Amino acid sequence: MSVQERKERERAARERLIVATARELAEQQGWDAVTTRRLAERIEYSQPVLYSHFRGKREIIGAVALEGAAEMAAALRAATSAADGSRARVTALARAYLDFAERNPAVYDAMFQLDGGLAFAREDTPEPLKDAFAALLDCLGEVAGDGVHPGLFTEVFWASLHGLATLTRAGRLPSGDAERRVELLVDRLAML
């Protein structure tokens, strides 16, 4: 292995450490607790080392969001591939989405609530974000219905899931009715 290859591998490892540490800190204490000073202390590198990887917190949030999008896409595909029939797949998708949001609140915030400097719904949208949407579209496109654009239907269903996730987490919706909300969403919006 050349010196250059070793340096690139070490750089990539440091970057993964920064992102993992930011994510861990955000999950434990919230995104306000994530500062370059605190990250530098936790990973035992100087702040200039952090800045050699990321220009600031915004880019770190973006990196966490991209990682989370890849994880969410994998979780959605795993859930839907194990289900048999359209209704079961859409129900599994909704449950997996809401479960991901509940289990990873700081990552979910990085993906959808905070400014990570990422473009959505544009040509320059990063691939992990496109793939997360594709994981939704793969399942929901088949139930959009005649004359309904599959992408538009997916956006509306996704917005509904996001609303449920956000309102439930904020304590605005009683947690005891979560399953009934999923059933209603699948029955009425997806007409299954």
Side-chain angles (χ1 to χ4, degrees):
M1 172 183 308
S2 73
V3 172
Q4 181 63 30
E5 289 172 329
R6 182 182 54 78
K7 285 183 178 184
E8 288 174 12
R9 192 176 65 215
E10 289 171 354
R11 180 174 176 74
R14 262 193 323 270
E15 192 164 302
R16 284 191 304 274
L17 178 62
I18 294 166
V19 171
T21 303
R23 182 176 176 166
E24 179 184 315
L25 187 57
E27 290 292 0
Q28 290 171 353
Q29 300 176 29
W31 279 103
D32 287 341
V34 179
T35 64
T36 54
R37 185 182 56 76
R38 289 186 80 189
L39 285 174
E41 288 171 3
R42 282 202 174 200
I43 65 171
E44 299 179 345
Y45 282 100
S46 67
Q47 283 182 291
V49 170
L50 264 72
Y51 285 115
S52 73
H53 290 274
F54 300 99
R55 286 182 284 200
K57 184 175 175 177
R58 182 177 185 221
E59 284 188 5
I60 294 169
I61 290 169
V64 170
L66 293 176
E67 189 175 272
E71 290 172 12
M72 186 174 77
L76 296 178
R77 286 193 173 102
T80 57
S81 71
D84 188 31
S86 295
R87 180 174 181 38
R89 275 191 298 280
V90 174
T91 301
L93 175 95
R95 287 180 182 143
Y97 183 98
L98 295 171
D99 183 57
F100 180 88
E102 182 181 353
R103 284 183 299 106
N104 304 283
V107 173
Y108 192 81
D109 284 349
M111 293 168 64
F112 301 121
Q113 303 289 102
L114 302 174
D115 179 9
L118 303 173
F120 282 82
R122 294 192 339 214
E123 222 24 67
D124 60 340
T125 297
E127 204 53 45
L129 298 179
K130 288 180 182 179
D131 190 48
F133 185 78
L136 293 165
L137 181 63
D138 292 346
C139 177
L140 296 169
E142 70 184 57
V143 299
D146 294 335
V148 178
H149 187 279
L152 189 59
F153 178 77
T154 299
E155 289 171 354
V156 171
F157 199 93
W158 172 30
S160 299
L161 289 172
H162 176 69
L164 289 174
T166 303
L167 291 170
T168 300
R169 188 166 130 207
R172 303 295 194 267
L173 299 175
S175 60
D177 291 329
E179 188 57 34
R180 289 180 52 210
R181 285 187 198 95
V182 168
E183 289 174 15
L184 184 61
L185 184 62
V186 171
D187 288 344
R188 299 297 182 209
L189 191 57
M191 304 272 213
L192 295 173

